[in-house]
Structures are given as structure tokens and as C-alpha cells.
């Protein structure tokens, strides 16, 4: 029985759910930052997924990268599966802009998350949902 | 005409080349750390790749993660396409161990690379090559 890890639940907002994947928005005003969480109980590594599950995750990672790049006029997309702190498998897709709060370093471990206003969260979610179609 | 970015050339050692992908070992004794560089001139984002190229990269990322996990008895694999500093598309696959020099933070931007001895480089390359078969 799959349950979202409480840290991911706390740090992010649901965007959509499709093909066995939860898509969530990290609640951080500093960066447009999405998570893909495959609903696979116990998965921690990409190689824990079946071929079908892996293909779904990777197709979504690429789509979300393209969506974020255009919707947020990003200079670079950062895509990563890290999971040193939260073992439940989750894939980050982050829109980066030259001069953003962590540039050119990675966002993971960079400073403190800055919660978004409800309006900004709704705006970001709307952009992603409409781009995904 | 594809040419490896000079920073990637300087920081890493060739392991093998297959299916349009360069596999290289980052010269850092602190972490078993591989790079996948698709030989696609001008690619900077995952979504710049064709379906075929993307499938090759993603299959290799997963294989190398599994190889590193077992060969280096890793606690976690970190897989990422970042490229904020080196625009040429490259995918990191890093074996992480609880208590390593950057744990639980990411390796990117963590301290200074520690060059390996020739023996250690040969050992790591041998492990990866033989696991890839």
C-alpha cells in the first residue's frame, strides 16, 4: 500500500496524478520546482522500478523539464533523483535562472525554503497543468 | 562534430564508449562518480535528445546506478542532470555512503575534488567495466 512520505507531503502541493505518478510542486517561492513520485511501495532507487514504471517516470521527467523551461523561461533545467534524506523514490525537476538564490549551485541543501503565497502556488500549478494538457 | 567539453575532459577519465554515449569516471577519490555524456553536438537539456538518444541515456543511467550500488556497496545512488556550470549535457551517477564527505548533502559544489591514485582509478574503472560486461 503506497503512502506518500510525510516530508514530501509537508514540503509540496499536489499538481496532478497520472500513469501511476504523483506530480507535486515544492512549496518554495525561490524556484519553480516539481517532484515526480512513482506510487511504488518501497522503491528507493531508479533501478527498483520495473521497465514500465521507469519508462513512465523518465517520460514525465522529460516532459516536465520542457514544460518548466518554457513556462518559467528557465536558463537551465535540473533533473535529479537523490534521496539521501527522504528514501522514498522521488525525482526533482527544477527550473533554474541565472542569478537565482542558489545559482550556479544545486538547490538541494541551499538555504531555507520560502513558502509561496496561495496565488503564486495556484499560478504555478495552473501553468504546469495547462502545459501538460 | 561532437567534442567533449574541456571541463569534463579535465575532471574525468574515460571508462568506455557505447551506443553513442561516453562513460567517464570523475577523478575524485571521495566518491565513486560516473558521467554519461551523449555524443550529441549542442545538446544541453534532456529534452534536446531524440527519443532514441534519450532512451539510451536513461537505460545507461539505470544500469550504472545498479552497477555502482553493488560494486561500491553504496547506501544511495544519486542520479542527476544539472549543467548549471558546464552546459554540455552530462548525467551524473554517484555512489553515496552514509558519512561520506558530503553526506547527506549533494556532491555538486561540495568541497574540493581529491584526485585518485592511478591504482584507485584503475580499480574503479575495472569494477565498472566488468559489471557492464
Amino acid at each position: 500500500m503506497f503512502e506518500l512520505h510525510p516530508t514530501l507531503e509537508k514540503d509540496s502541493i499536489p499538481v496532478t496524478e497520472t500513469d501511476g505518478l504523483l506530480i507535486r510542486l515544492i512549496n518554495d517561492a525561490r524556484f519553480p520546482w516539481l517532484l515526480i513520485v512513482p506510487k511504488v511501495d518501497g522503491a528507493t532507487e531508479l533501478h527498483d522500478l520495473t521497465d514500465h514504471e521507469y519508462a513512465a517516470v523518465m517520460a514525465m521527467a522529460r516532459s516536465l523539464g520542457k514544460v518548466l523551461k518554457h513556462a518559467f523561461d528557465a536558463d537551465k533545467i535540473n533533473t535529479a533523483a537523490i534521496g539521501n534524506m527522504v528514501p522514498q523514490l522521488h525525482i526533482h525537476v527544477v527550473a533554474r535562472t541565472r542569478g537565482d538564490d542558489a545559482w550556479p549551485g544545486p538547490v538541494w541543501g541551499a538555504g531555507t525554503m520560502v513558502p509561496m503565497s496561495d496565488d503564486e502556488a495556484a499560478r504555478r500549478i495552473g501553468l504546469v497543468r495547462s502545459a501538460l494538457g
Side-chain angles (χ1 to χ4, degrees), chain A:
Chain A
M1 179 61 191
F2 176 84
E3 269 190 69
L4 186 62
H5 190 285
T7 302
L8 301 182
E9 173 87 42
K10 177 176 65 66
D11 290 347
S12 67
I13 303 163
V15 176
T16 190
E17 179 173 345
T18 177
D19 201 11
L21 308 173
L22 303 178
I23 314 299
R24 299 181 63 96
L25 176 71
I26 292 272
N27 186 12
D28 192 335
R30 301 174 302 162
F31 316 102
W33 180 348
L34 297 170
L35 291 182
I36 306 166
V37 186
K39 295 175 70 179
V40 178
D41 192 30
T44 62
E45 300 283 6
L46 292 172
H47 60 260
D48 292 336
L49 301 176
T50 65
D51 287 353
H52 175 79
E53 290 160 352
Y54 186 60
V57 167
M58 290 298 108
M60 181 56 74
R62 195 189 197 197
S63 295
L64 291 180
K66 202 165 175 181
V67 162
L68 287 183
K69 181 115 179 182
H70 295 288
F72 296 91
D73 197 23
D75 292 313
K76 191 68 192 70
I77 298 300
N78 295 171
T79 305
I82 303 179
N84 302 342
M85 301 206 239
V86 173
Q88 183 174 76
L89 183 61
H90 58 288
I91 294 87
H92 305 265
V93 187
V94 193
R96 304 299 307 275
T97 305
R98 266 179 262 285
D100 70 25
D101 278 15
W103 188 267
V107 295
W108 307 284
T112 305
M113 292 168 75
V114 177
M116 282 177 280
S117 66
D118 290 350
D119 280 358
E120 180 60 14
R123 187 182 78 86
R124 292 186 185 184
I125 289 170
L127 281 170
V128 173
R129 278 193 189 144
S130 73
L132 282 177

